[in-house]
Amino acid sequence: MIQKLLSSFLQGDRRVNQQPALVSLQTIWHREHNRIAKNLKRVNADWDDETLFQESRKIVGAMIQHITYHQYLQEILGNEIMNRFDLKPKSSGYFTGYNAKFKPMIRNVFSAAAFRFGHSMINDQLSYHPTKTFSTNIMSDLRNIILRPDWIYRKDGGVGAVTKGLYETNAQSVDM
């Protein structure tokens, strides 16, 4: 029990420790946030820690939104739906339709149905690609590594080996 507590991570999402892929991706975004904060501090020496944190957070949030709308949703929804609901990123300018009266919440119908569709894209196995030259991927059944965030501490690759395994493995098809 103590070992499990020592290897657990705290992030903005309590599910971070579910599997090594989630830990790795959140770690990458955490590192990107800190990289941006360091650069912002260099050009804004008078900013306090809270301002640096919040401004870096905005930039990382925008990066995630760009990836989601420009790449992921385009593949999932297709061109017709993206155009119909004006979901494509603008080639120039900014979105000007902000509505302060709109409630930014997840509706129950979405969380009960649509939010779960992406789970069918997750493979039954996680591929781990060690960093040693001429090494082969290690495939592990996801059920055996649930709640094992310690994978990212492995000396043969850690976060890099997990993410390399992710981008070298195709996702499952969406199960409608």
Side-chain angles (χ1 to χ4, degrees):
M1 179 68 168
I2 301 249
Q3 181 59 31
K4 190 176 264 190
L5 290 173
L6 290 175
S7 65
S8 294
F9 293 88
L10 295 174
Q11 291 285 348
D13 186 336
R14 62 186 166 87
R15 297 168 294 181
V16 65
N17 295 293
Q18 270 185 356
Q19 56 143 308
L22 285 176
V23 177
S24 295
L25 292 174
Q26 289 202 18
T27 299
I28 289 168
W29 285 113
H30 186 127
R31 289 174 180 170
E32 178 64 2
H33 174 274
N34 289 347
R35 185 192 69 78
I36 291 167
K38 194 178 295 184
N39 287 332
L40 287 175
K41 180 66 173 177
R42 195 170 38 242
V43 295
N44 301 286
D46 58 324
W47 283 6
D48 63 11
D49 288 346
E50 183 65 19
T51 302
L52 286 167
F53 175 84
Q54 294 299 338
E55 294 303 313
S56 300
R57 182 174 178 257
K58 289 177 193 175
I59 294 168
V60 168
M63 292 168 74
I64 292 170
Q65 287 175 0
H66 182 76
I67 291 167
T68 301
Y69 282 86
H70 188 67
Q71 295 172 339
Y72 181 71
L73 282 180
Q74 179 70 38
E75 291 295 318
I76 298 297
L77 300 176
N79 225 16
E80 182 183 336
I81 298 294
M82 293 293 287
N83 287 330
R84 185 184 313 160
F85 294 99
D86 194 25
L87 296 173
K88 289 189 173 186
K90 302 195 175 309
S91 57
S92 64
Y94 300 95
F95 175 75
T96 57
Y98 179 75
N99 181 351
K101 293 180 181 178
F102 185 81
K103 293 181 181 179
M105 59 188 225
I106 295 176
R107 306 255 185 247
N108 188 47
V109 68
F110 178 81
S111 65
F115 188 61
R116 300 283 174 218
F117 96 97
H119 289 142
S120 66
M121 298 171 63
I122 299 172
N123 287 310
D124 293 335
Q125 293 186 317
L126 181 66
S127 177
Y128 183 90
H129 192 100
T131 54
K132 295 178 183 171
T133 309
F134 304 113
S135 62
T136 57
N137 278 10
I138 298 166
M139 298 297 284
S140 185
D141 288 340
L142 196 53
R143 67 177 182 213
N144 294 332
I145 56 174
I146 292 292
L147 300 176
R148 294 280 312 276
D150 53 301
W151 260 43
I152 70 163
Y153 288 122
R154 288 176 57 148
K155 296 203 184 308
D156 61 350
V159 170
V162 172
T163 54
K164 188 170 184 186
L166 287 173
Y167 70 74
E168 288 182 346
T169 307
N170 291 330
Q172 297 291 314
S173 296
V174 174
D175 181 1
M176 297 297 184

